[in-house]
Amino acid sequence: STAQTFADTYAIKIKDTSAYNIPRRIGDISLGVHIGETYTNYDQGSFEVTDNPADLALAGDGFFAISYTNKQGETSVKYTRDGAFTVNKDGYLVTKDGDYVLNQNAAMNSDPGAAGYPNQKFTIDEQGNIWQNRAVVGRVGVVDFANYNYLEKFGENLYQTVDGAQIVAAGAQVEQGVIEASNVQVVSEM
């Protein structure tokens, strides 16, 4: 979010004749700072090493595809850069809220069907391939979008597409055992 000062707001309001062509009075507006514009910064944050094999981060542009189920039981595909995942008791890679991480095929096709991974030791390479017993058993669903203007925030750390969104292959590399920290820089925000 960006902030606008009183002086900026006053300059706008004093010329505002939207109410019956009469300029708005100063008493109609707040004298403090208010939210001027809200926008999303998609820049990559720094990485924090966790050594947890289910923690993943994306180096570059892209999003993990998630099978999100709402309270009514309806399932849809959402997207996140928050790779703080776990493996549930059934062997599925899930978010902290228990939503399934999709495989690559489901991610590219916006199919909320989930992929299972046996609950045993695994490694994940930079392409997102999941290795167990020296064999690839799946691939983490990572996608990107041709234009981020067709993404909107959904909840705390998810995004959803709006009409016109175009899914493309992601160039991001998957890093295992690390998570991406927030990209917020306090000085820039101020």
Side-chain angles (χ1 to χ4, degrees):
S1 296
T2 59
Q4 289 183 324
T5 64
F6 169 71
D8 294 338
T9 304
Y10 179 65
I12 294 168
K13 293 298 181 186
I14 205 165
K15 297 175 183 175
D16 180 4
T17 58
S18 60
Y20 304 106
N21 212 24
I22 301 170
R24 292 185 63 185
R25 294 178 33 187
I26 195 70
D28 293 344
I29 60 175
S30 166
L31 302 181
V33 173
H34 70 115
I35 300 299
E37 178 186 2
T38 300
Y39 68 97
T40 301
N41 179 352
Y42 294 100
D43 290 345
Q44 181 178 312
S46 60
F47 286 173
E48 296 177 4
V49 176
T50 66
D51 291 328
N52 176 354
D55 283 341
L56 305 177
L58 294 175
D61 295 335
F63 298 84
F64 296 107
I66 307 298
S67 177
Y68 174 80
T69 304
N70 65 17
K71 290 178 180 168
Q72 290 76 35
E74 300 163 334
T75 304
S76 59
V77 179
K78 306 292 184 207
Y79 305 91
T80 188
R81 285 193 61 97
D82 181 359
F85 302 134
T86 60
V87 177
N88 69 11
K89 62 180 175 50
D90 298 320
Y92 289 95
L93 196 60
V94 296
T95 67
K96 63 184 178 185
D97 297 320
D99 293 313
Y100 297 108
V101 179
L102 294 176
N103 65 24
Q104 186 63 29
N105 188 46
M108 289 300 291
N109 295 309
S110 297
D111 174 8
Y117 310 108
N119 194 1
Q120 52 182 292
K121 186 175 179 182
F122 64 93
T123 58
I124 298 176
D125 65 22
E126 291 182 346
Q127 284 75 45
N129 294 312
I130 302 169
W131 293 80
Q132 291 178 323
N133 298 324
R134 292 181 284 197
V136 174
V137 296
R139 187 173 176 201
V140 176
V142 179
V143 297
D144 201 7
F145 298 92
N147 187 336
Y148 288 174
N149 290 330
Y150 292 96
L151 284 179
E152 65 181 10
K153 287 190 174 222
F154 182 87
E156 184 181 335
N157 61 354
L158 297 176
Y159 299 92
Q160 64 185 5
T161 56
V162 296
D163 287 345
Q166 182 182 357
I167 294 175
V168 296
Q173 294 182 332
V174 178
E175 302 287 338
Q176 185 179 22
V178 296
I179 55 173
E180 183 179 357
S182 172
N183 64 2
V184 172
Q185 296 177 355
V186 176
V187 174
S188 298
E189 288 291 303
M190 292 170 61

